[in-house]
Amino acid sequence: MAVEKAEALAGKDVVGIDRLSAGEIQLILETADELLEVARRPIKKVPTLRGYTVVNLFMEPSTRTRFSFEVAEKRLSADTLNFSSSSSSVTKGETLFDTARNLMAMAPDFIIIRHPNSGAPHRLAEVIPASIINAGDGINEHPTQALLDAFTMRQRFDSLEGLKVVIAGDIRHSRVARSNAFLLDKMGAEVRFVAPASLLPREAEELGVSTFVRLEPALEGADVVMMLRIQLERQSKMNFPSMREYFDFFALTPERLELAAEHAVVMHPGPMNRGVEIDSVVADGAQSVILEQVTNGVAIRMAILYLLAGGRSESPSDS
Ligand code: CP
């Protein structure tokens, strides 16, 4: 990889897909391609980030994002500090900014932040000199998820240009849906949002997506079907009659999947609620790439850390 190209993201923050150009997205995807093979080595480690310190500041629950950042950091030989709000002084009333300023006093190079409030990573990025990476902020964005989703689509279809991507579920409360809509629009794919009317976002038109209140017409000819869970933790009241009825009308079943293109792949960012938005037969079926998404998440997060650190080695996977 040309060093000057790899330096395009040096020292920057990754707070949202809306702030990345198509060229920067392409660079991250290509870098992740090179880093994927590190996981196949007998010793899954390169010295690229030796001497760098990464703080993982997770103020909301996470399994995939948190562990895959941690694996990515360790595979790049960075030192890691793990922060969870339940065991920190946040429980004694310390604010996010005081927490971050105190962590900065220990000179980290990166802060990975997941926070329930939309915009928290952006505000940190304005005042904190370390590179800030958004690991999910409220209902706003989840940029590294959209990047790993795009990477997984590209593995199957080579290019994102012209792909028909259905995103179905609780779109209104989904940062994954928003980041995917931004990314797929920049890369020339067609996005179809599907949800009960009460769970469609108000800004669908601005996002450049088409909307459907039934799954069947949206699935016609789809290349990718991405299912999302209902985020009850972000809703004060249930926006549909019952989970049973939700399954009957909006779940991806084997019969409904047949409406999509024969080569269609099924995606889900996790956590899945089997029997609510997705039938287990589909989740575990031959068209599912759900666990490939998780594998690819490590390579994407390694690529982002490598590029923000300046992309200084000739190749990201140099050992
Ligand atoms: N996809 C995702 O964000 O999953 P986690 O909440 O487990 O990190």
Side-chain angles (χ1 to χ4, degrees):
M1 177 181 305
V3 173
E4 64 281 8
K5 188 179 169 197
E7 284 176 353
L9 284 163
K12 293 194 177 174
D13 307 297
V14 174
V15 292
I17 297 292
D18 61 341
R19 297 194 186 177
L20 290 177
S21 67
E24 288 168 335
I25 291 167
Q26 193 68 26
L27 174 61
I28 294 168
L29 298 178
E30 283 169 11
T31 307
D33 255 334
E34 287 191 50
L35 285 163
L36 203 54
E37 65 86 20
V38 174
R40 298 189 202 111
R41 296 181 183 182
I43 296 173
K44 305 177 189 65
K45 211 171 182 76
V46 291
T48 316
L49 289 192
R50 198 159 49 198
Y52 285 79
T53 304
V54 187
V55 172
N56 298 307
L57 185 61
F58 277 70
M59 299 183 134
E60 262 194 347
S62 170
T63 298
R64 282 145 289 269
T65 312
R66 180 178 176 148
F67 284 112
S68 78
F69 264 114
E70 212 178 316
V71 170
E73 293 151 15
K74 288 182 183 349
R75 287 200 178 147
L76 291 171
S77 304
D79 296 316
T80 62
L81 299 172
N82 293 316
F83 176 100
S84 75
S85 44
S86 61
S87 59
S88 75
S89 288
V90 168
T91 56
K92 301 172 201 161
E94 190 164 40
T95 65
L96 170 63
F97 289 98
D98 282 332
T99 302
R101 279 194 199 101
N102 279 276
L103 292 170
M104 270 322 290
M106 301 173 211
D109 301 285
F110 301 95
I111 297 182
I112 318 296
I113 176 170
R114 169 167 287 194
H115 200 278
N117 295 347
S118 299
H122 308 66
R123 289 194 291 280
L124 264 198
E126 284 164 14
V127 295
I128 298 290
S131 283
I132 305 295
I133 303 175
N134 181 358
D137 64 320
I139 61 168
N140 181 42
E141 279 227 41
H142 193 346
T144 61
Q145 179 69 44
L147 285 159
L148 75 88
D149 291 340
F151 186 85
T152 307
M153 290 177 211
R154 241 178 43 134
Q155 277 180 330
R156 290 299 175 116
F157 299 109
D158 293 332
S159 168
L160 301 175
E161 179 101 41
L163 276 190
K164 296 180 179 63
V165 181
V166 170
I167 304 180
D170 182 359
I171 312 276
R172 177 168 288 179
H173 302 100
S174 175
R175 53 199 180 202
V176 174
R178 276 173 61 80
S179 284
N180 264 289
F182 285 133
L183 187 151
L184 292 166
D185 182 53
K186 283 176 201 257
M187 306 308 275
E190 178 202 321
V191 179
R192 305 169 183 174
F193 277 173
V194 189
S198 55
L199 292 177
L200 281 170
R202 293 185 187 93
E203 80 277 28
E205 210 171 301
E206 286 159 44
L207 291 169
V209 304
S210 51
T211 57
F212 295 79
V213 291
R214 287 183 55 236
L215 193 48
E216 289 82 356
L219 286 171
E220 293 286 344
D223 302 298
V224 176
V225 187
M226 184 185 300
M227 302 308 293
L228 304 174
R229 77 184 170 93
I230 303 285
Q231 301 201 33
L232 290 174
E233 74 274 25
R234 301 194 202 281
Q235 302 176 42
S236 51
K237 63 175 176 59
M238 202 132 116
N239 282 290
F240 48 90
S242 68
M243 289 295 187
R244 180 71 240 172
E245 189 165 303
Y246 187 86
F247 180 84
D248 288 345
F249 287 94
F250 290 99
L252 189 61
T253 57
E255 297 73 32
R256 288 197 176 113
L257 183 55
E258 278 183 19
L259 299 170
E262 213 173 317
H263 59 241
V265 294
V266 175
M267 302 178 74
H268 196 307
M272 275 190 286
N273 289 138
R274 292 168 183 263
V276 180
E277 73 274 9
I278 192 164
D279 190 307
S280 272
V281 174
V282 174
D284 303 326
Q287 287 168 272
S288 170
V289 293
I290 293 169
L291 292 177
E292 287 165 53
Q293 288 174 263
V294 179
T295 301
N296 293 337
V298 176
I300 282 291
R301 287 159 181 140
M302 287 173 77
I304 291 170
L305 289 164
Y306 165 77
L307 291 167
L308 296 188
R312 274 188 284 230
S313 55
E314 260 315 292
S315 161
S317 56
D318 276 353
S319 54

